Amino acid sequence: MSEETGFTSMAGAKAEGEAPEIGFGMLGYAFMGKAHSNALKTLPYMMYPPVAIPKLAAISGRSESEVAEAAKRFGYKKYYTDWRAMLEDDEVQVLDNGGPNDMHAEPAFFAAQLGKHILCEKPLARTAEESKQMLDAVQKADIKHMVAFNYRFVPAVRQIRKLIDAGALGQIYHFRAVYLQEWIMPHYGEKKIWRLDKKVAGSGALGDLGAHIIDLAHYLVGDMKTIAGNTRTFIDTRPLPDGSGMGKVDVDDAFVAAVEFDNGAVGTLEATRFAGGRKNYNCFEINAEKGSVRFNLERMNELEVFWVDEKPKETQGFHDVLVTEGHHPWWEYWWPHGHIIGWEHTFIHEINHFLDCIVNNKEVGPHGATFEDGYKAAVICDAILESASTKRHVDVKY
Ligand code: SOE
């Protein structure tokens, strides 16, 4: 069913030059629904003049009361309890899918059939096989598709990619990445939530956090050749959310992996939600021929750099750079240097990129993650699980 809310569906005033309007159909209204809706509303007046004006055409969710509340809160023109009906709405040109992982594939198949562009939250799907089905579906359709690997859209991370592309780092020897959180530890008292249920999530920390650093490895270093992985589940039964008893945790709480890249680099990947004291610690370091760079999401406006040929030698070492100058990525849209931005701005950058690709028929890659990138990340996730199970190195086959 759907209801008109009477709210104006336009986010932001019409910009000069009559930027085209693009109608968004949001699937889901929780954490990612909030982050994406905030981006849709902020984008037209901060990425100004906007390449397009997102229209908050509709939002869908299972609970009518909750989705109606979300429509009112964020200003969606309509709400639906049936995502198919939302996608059939002519005012919806883009499916923005912030739903749980088991709700990524079916809506993508349907949206692709209807010719709707698709922005899907990560991980693309629960397995490589399911991801490949989604990739095949969108490649048959004449649509733009992107996976919301938002950390590609941090100014400091894009700056690292620019340094690599310019040859400033030279040959890469090491990529070392961790993504550490703590919120699944016992003292947080999490029940067996959907992220701990294999049939909904597909995997645990691996697909939730590992997918991000695997994608960054692909984006910054390149394809992988072999994987040796281990996983752990520290707590194997938890209370079920509905209070009906205990449920077995059938996903990983943590993983560690050693990787070889096609270009000769070697690396380590680790993700957990049992790292006490680490809040959202997505941190990686690249060691290369001409220097090293280190990024820490908990200090997302900063980049640590080391240059082999730095002079004077007496003061050579890692230096901390504030990535907030006008010449740094996206900073022409924000504030004077030093006036730092935050996690939510990465969603504004990535959705603006997607709109630009739609309106000006540009390729989503290499800077945006396509469904092919989502599939490749899923292949690595599956390889880590296979290696953990067989206790053997796995040759990567994308
Ligand atoms: C929870 O682990 C989570 O919200 C992830 O799902 C996001 O992708 C990550 O950016 C922050 O942590």
Side-chain angles (χ1 to χ4, degrees):
M1 60 89 64
S2 76
E3 286 290 335
E4 293 275 348
T5 59
F7 287 98
T8 54
S9 62
M10 183 131 55
K14 272 229 187 267
E16 289 129 32
E18 294 295 298
E21 294 178 356
I22 305 279
F24 276 69
M26 183 70 65
L27 194 161
Y29 44 74
F31 184 5
M32 287 300 123
K34 177 179 168 185
H36 287 226
S37 299
N38 174 62
L40 295 178
K41 297 182 74 127
T42 309
L43 186 154
Y45 57 79
M46 288 311 293
M47 310 288 282
Y48 192 85
V51 69
I53 295 178
K55 267 174 42 183
L56 279 66
I59 188 167
S60 67
R62 275 184 279 249
S63 155
E64 185 186 355
S65 60
E66 290 178 13
V67 74
E69 177 63 21
K72 184 174 76 172
R73 174 181 182 181
F74 300 120
Y76 284 90
K77 184 178 178 187
K78 291 181 219 171
Y79 65 81
Y80 289 86
T81 52
D82 173 1
W83 54 262
R84 284 181 174 77
M86 178 181 78
L87 288 177
E88 287 170 333
D89 187 322
D90 290 340
E91 291 196 78
V92 170
Q93 283 88 49
V94 176
L95 164 61
D96 187 339
N97 194 338
N101 301 349
D102 64 340
M103 283 297 297
H104 288 183
E106 287 304 315
F109 300 148
F110 196 61
Q113 280 172 7
L114 295 172
K116 313 277 179 163
H117 306 292
I118 308 171
L119 171 59
C120 184
E121 262 300 330
K122 41 55 61 182
L124 180 59
R126 293 167 287 184
T127 63
E129 182 185 2
E130 191 175 49
S131 301
K132 185 65 169 58
Q133 290 166 359
M134 295 172 73
L135 175 58
D136 292 345
V138 297
Q139 285 182 328
K140 289 191 191 103
D142 180 23
I143 57 174
K144 300 294 181 183
H145 46 92
M146 187 163 98
V147 184
F149 281 118
N150 58 306
Y151 298 122
R152 290 175 174 226
F153 290 87
V154 174
V157 173
R158 179 61 61 83
Q159 187 57 56
I160 290 171
R161 171 67 192 245
K162 290 175 75 166
L163 289 169
I164 291 169
D165 288 349
L169 281 170
Q171 180 187 351
I172 293 177
Y173 303 131
H174 294 279
F175 179 81
R176 189 175 306 110
V178 298
Y179 200 157
L180 312 178
Q181 293 179 350
E182 63 175 7
W183 63 283
I184 295 285
M185 292 177 73
H187 65 281
Y188 274 84
E190 282 297 345
K191 294 183 169 38
K192 192 193 167 192
I193 55 174
W194 72 262
R195 289 187 193 278
L196 296 173
D197 184 341
K198 184 173 184 174
K199 76 177 172 310
V200 178
S203 61
L206 177 59
D208 184 26
L209 302 180
H212 276 297
I213 53 177
I214 290 165
D215 176 67
L216 288 174
H218 283 145
Y219 179 56
L220 298 171
V221 184
D223 286 354
M224 298 181 209
K225 191 163 65 173
T226 67
I227 294 280
N230 265 304
T231 61
R232 274 296 175 281
T233 301
F234 299 114
I235 297 175
D236 57 12
T237 55
R238 289 179 182 253
L240 293 170
D242 63 5
S244 60
M246 299 295 281
K248 181 164 172 32
V249 174
D250 50 3
V251 295
D252 57 287
D253 284 327
F255 87 91
V256 292
V259 306
E260 291 177 302
F261 292 87
D262 283 351
N263 63 10
V266 288
T268 54
L269 303 169
E270 178 184 3
T272 181
R273 296 170 299 194
F274 274 71
R278 296 301 185 192
K279 308 303 176 181
N280 199 18
Y281 192 83
N282 175 350
C283 184
F284 64 83
E285 180 168 315
I286 293 175
N287 307 126
E289 172 192 3
K290 299 178 181 175
S292 296
V293 290
R294 179 175 181 271
F295 170 77
N296 169 8
L297 179 62
E298 291 181 0
R299 300 175 65 143
M300 75 166 260
N301 292 273
E302 300 171 31
L303 191 52
E304 291 179 62
V305 296
F306 169 85
W307 299 112
V308 166
D309 61 0
E310 182 183 290
K311 301 285 185 294
K313 282 282 184 202
E314 294 73 15
T315 56
Q316 186 185 40
F318 267 100
H319 298 307
D320 196 15
V321 176
L322 205 49
V323 185
T324 62
E325 302 295 337
H327 55 260
H328 283 136
W330 298 289
W331 267 86
E332 70 266 30
Y333 296 111
W334 299 110
W335 319 111
H337 50 197
H339 295 63
I340 55 178
I341 61 174
W343 179 79
E344 74 273 20
H345 296 86
T346 67
F347 293 89
I348 299 170
H349 299 159
E350 78 173 344
I351 294 177
N352 187 64
H353 173 74
F354 194 50
L355 287 170
D356 188 20
C357 294
I358 291 169
V359 168
N360 296 308
N361 193 24
K362 292 179 179 176
E363 290 303 313
V364 169
H367 297 301
T370 66
F371 275 29
E372 182 171 9
D373 295 303
Y375 163 67
K376 288 173 66 175
V379 165
I380 301 301
C381 287
D382 282 13
I384 288 168
L385 292 174
E386 180 187 344
S387 177
S389 161
T390 61
K391 300 299 178 196
R392 305 177 68 83
H393 272 81
V394 169
D395 293 328
V396 175
K397 295 182 185 65
Y398 293 108

